[in-house]
Amino acid sequence: LSASSLYHDVLSTTTTVDEQNTVNAIQKEIEQCLLPTWQWFATILDSFESQVRFGMTLSNLVHNEADTTLHGNRFLKNLIERTQVETKKKSTTNRITNTST
């Protein structure tokens, strides 16, 4: 349902054909001007939504560590554990390198 269909019935009963054509032309011009802004805004909202979903998933993973019924939770838990192991390995390697010099 577009804005033009919402206002079409109201405007067509109180205006002449020329006035209606003028209103339609103005509305099309405004829609054309605002289209890039709406497309940009939709892109931003999609990105924001995905970040919020990811954050919620991580939050649920932390709060439900014992619950591994969902494949996604197991995947994320394993990913976090591997990252922590790699981080510990790097810090241990850095400490050995620093103490030997």
Side-chain angles (χ1 to χ4, degrees), residues 58-72:
L58 286 179
S59 177
N60 288 338
L61 177 67
V62 170
H63 294 298
N64 298 324
E65 286 182 359
D67 181 19
T68 57
T69 56
L70 296 175
H71 177 69

Side-chain angles (χ1 to χ4, degrees), residues 28-43:
K28 285 182 183 179
E29 184 68 29
I30 290 171
E31 288 174 358
Q32 287 294 325
C33 290
L34 292 177
L35 182 63
T37 303
W38 283 113
Q39 289 173 336
W40 170 81
F41 191 63
T43 303

Side-chain angles (χ1 to χ4, degrees), residues 18-49:
D18 289 336
E19 290 171 336
Q20 184 64 40
N21 289 341
T22 302
V23 169
N24 288 340
I26 291 170
Q27 183 175 349
K28 285 182 183 179
E29 184 68 29
I30 290 171
E31 288 174 358
Q32 287 294 325
C33 290
L34 292 177
L35 182 63
T37 303
W38 283 113
Q39 289 173 336
W40 170 81
F41 191 63
T43 303
I44 297 300
L45 287 178
D46 286 343
S47 174
F48 180 71
E49 179 186 15

